[in-house]
Amino acid sequence: MKIRKTYSFAFWTTLFITLFILGLLLVTAYIFLDIQLNIKYLVPFVAVIFIFTFLIIQYRLEKFIYKRIKKIYDRVSVLDRSDFNKTAITSDIDALSREVQKFAEFNQEQIANLNLRENYRREFLGNVSHELKTPLFTVQGYLLTLADGAIDDKKISKKYLKRANKGVERLISIVKDLDLISKLESADLVLNKQPFNILELVQEVFELLEMKAKKRNVSLHFNKHYIFPIMVIADVEKIEQVLTNLIVNAIKYSKKNGTIMVSVEKMDTKVLVKVIDDGEGIKEEYLPRLFERFYRVDQSRSREQGGSGLGLSIVKHIIESHNEQIFVKSEFGKGSEFSFTLEKMKVT
């Protein structure tokens, strides 16, 4: 059915009413009163009735629609009443239909986003609670044991204090990582961008993590021998943290006697850094949420490996704060590849 404007509706309704009144008037005059009506006076009379009736119907129709739609806007807090355009809505049913459709779609999208955020919030709070609870209970358990008399045994007290300290260090690590993410998200973190050789930085991270890699018999190396330096512009400390987090993550999930390889590729205006491992890999279904805070693919095994559970989330925030991109490719059972871009230093 074709949707008509309210003016069209008012016109035809007025015409029918006017014709009805005119017919009623003629019938009454000729049949009941036996009066000959003068057409000269009848036409202006009919015109006045038509105009008056049209204005009344149009006004009341617009008022009726406006009030009903305004109630919808008033009851839904998501939309502001100022978004409601009276003229467009009430004078054109087509516009009304489009506006209500847009209104419904907007609200459906808002509700879906709110539900998604609520699920993430609930999951995030649960994860934070779990991550903090585990080391707290560990520390509490060792301290209570010492308080119950184990402190008198020097050997046990030393061992328990060392374990309690390890739990405290994990708590500090989680709090520091949360603080860093908070700064990254609120744009409070000031980046100290400067030119540096990315190859030297990778080599320094290799040396820093050499002992950790040896414990799992994992080798760290470049994909090839680089002769010339590759200069980039970024915050060297933050990029060091990115490389450290990615390589530590690769060490944790690499198979024994595995290999972690870093490649650096020059492009037009960017440099692409890849961290590739031949570990257990990640199932495709887990990839979209990999950079979420505290998200773990294998909850039990991940916690056994230690860490705050915020490493990849920090990596993503640091790279994005540089206005760069991070990518991940993985095949379950064959390994993973994390890569990110950096601004290449222009050669003058």
Side-chain angles (χ1 to χ4, degrees), residues 170-260:
R170 186 177 175 190
L171 282 171
I172 293 171
S173 174
I174 293 171
V175 172
K176 280 183 177 179
D177 286 348
L178 281 171
D179 181 57
L180 177 58
I181 286 179
S182 177
K183 286 179 179 178
L184 287 165
E185 288 181 341
S186 61
D188 288 341
L189 193 71
V190 179
L191 296 176
N192 179 26
K193 288 188 176 184
Q194 57 185 344
F196 63 91
N197 183 0
I198 186 66
L199 298 174
E200 284 185 1
L201 184 62
V202 172
Q203 186 59 47
E204 288 174 11
V205 174
F206 279 171
E207 293 170 2
L208 183 69
L209 300 175
E210 186 178 4
M211 294 303 296
K212 184 182 283 288
K214 278 186 176 179
K215 287 181 181 179
R216 291 184 59 82
N217 293 323
V218 173
S219 61
L220 308 174
H221 62 83
F222 286 103
N223 66 319
K224 66 178 183 179
H225 178 64
Y226 291 91
I227 300 172
F228 301 105
I230 299 177
M231 304 299 293
V232 298
I233 299 175
D235 187 317
V236 62
E237 290 184 1
K238 296 297 178 289
I239 300 304
E240 181 181 3
Q241 186 168 12
V242 167
L243 288 166
T244 301
N245 287 5
L246 289 178
I247 294 172
V248 165
N249 200 61
I251 292 171
K252 284 180 183 178
Y253 301 107
S254 283
K255 58 188 179 184
K256 288 191 176 181
N257 304 314
T259 301
I260 295 171

Side-chain angles (χ1 to χ4, degrees), residues 74-307:
D74 288 341
R75 288 175 182 175
V76 182
S77 59
V78 178
L79 286 182
D80 191 340
R81 192 191 303 178
S82 62
D83 294 335
F84 179 46
N85 188 328
K86 179 179 177 180
T87 304
I89 292 292
T90 58
S91 63
D92 189 346
I93 301 299
D94 284 320
L96 171 61
S97 179
R98 288 193 299 269
E99 194 73 15
V100 171
Q101 180 67 25
K102 190 164 63 174
F103 170 86
E105 289 173 358
F106 176 79
N107 276 277
Q108 286 174 353
E109 186 178 340
Q110 287 291 97
I111 291 168
N113 287 336
L114 289 171
N115 286 334
L116 187 63
R117 288 181 184 179
E118 176 60 21
N119 289 336
Y120 281 156
R121 185 193 67 83
R122 195 183 301 114
E123 188 174 334
F124 172 69
L125 289 175
N127 284 331
V128 171
S129 173
H130 188 93
E131 293 294 339
L132 294 175
K133 182 172 65 178
T134 302
L136 275 172
F137 284 173
T138 300
V139 172
Q140 184 186 44
Y142 288 129
L143 292 178
L144 287 173
T145 303
L146 291 170
D148 286 342
I151 196 169
D152 296 328
D153 188 323
K154 289 185 178 181
K155 188 176 179 180
I156 292 177
S157 63
K158 187 178 179 180
K159 181 171 70 174
Y160 279 19
L161 285 172
K162 189 180 288 186
R163 290 179 180 177
N165 183 62
K166 192 175 180 180
V168 171
E169 285 177 352
R170 186 177 175 190
L171 282 171
I172 293 171
S173 174
I174 293 171
V175 172
K176 280 183 177 179
D177 286 348
L178 281 171
D179 181 57
L180 177 58
I181 286 179
S182 177
K183 286 179 179 178
L184 287 165
E185 288 181 341
S186 61
D188 288 341
L189 193 71
V190 179
L191 296 176
N192 179 26
K193 288 188 176 184
Q194 57 185 344
F196 63 91
N197 183 0
I198 186 66
L199 298 174
E200 284 185 1
L201 184 62
V202 172
Q203 186 59 47
E204 288 174 11
V205 174
F206 279 171
E207 293 170 2
L208 183 69
L209 300 175
E210 186 178 4
M211 294 303 296
K212 184 182 283 288
K214 278 186 176 179
K215 287 181 181 179
R216 291 184 59 82
N217 293 323
V218 173
S219 61
L220 308 174
H221 62 83
F222 286 103
N223 66 319
K224 66 178 183 179
H225 178 64
Y226 291 91
I227 300 172
F228 301 105
I230 299 177
M231 304 299 293
V232 298
I233 299 175
D235 187 317
V236 62
E237 290 184 1
K238 296 297 178 289
I239 300 304
E240 181 181 3
Q241 186 168 12
V242 167
L243 288 166
T244 301
N245 287 5
L246 289 178
I247 294 172
V248 165
N249 200 61
I251 292 171
K252 284 180 183 178
Y253 301 107
S254 283
K255 58 188 179 184
K256 288 191 176 181
N257 304 314
T259 301
I260 295 171
M261 182 175 67
V262 174
S263 71
V264 182
E265 300 174 14
K266 289 193 288 185
M267 299 184 289
D268 290 338
T269 59
K270 303 289 183 183
V271 168
L272 183 66
V273 182
K274 296 181 180 179
V275 178
I276 307 164
D277 67 72
D278 56 358
E280 58 192 51
I282 306 160
K283 291 181 180 178
E284 189 176 351
E285 63 203 76
Y286 299 128
L287 294 178
R289 298 189 61 188
L290 202 58
F291 293 100
E292 287 179 21
R293 288 173 289 186
F294 294 114
Y295 184 75
R296 298 178 188 267
V297 174
D298 185 338
Q299 298 286 340
S300 58
R301 190 171 185 277
S302 296
R303 289 196 170 95
E304 285 174 9
Q305 296 286 354

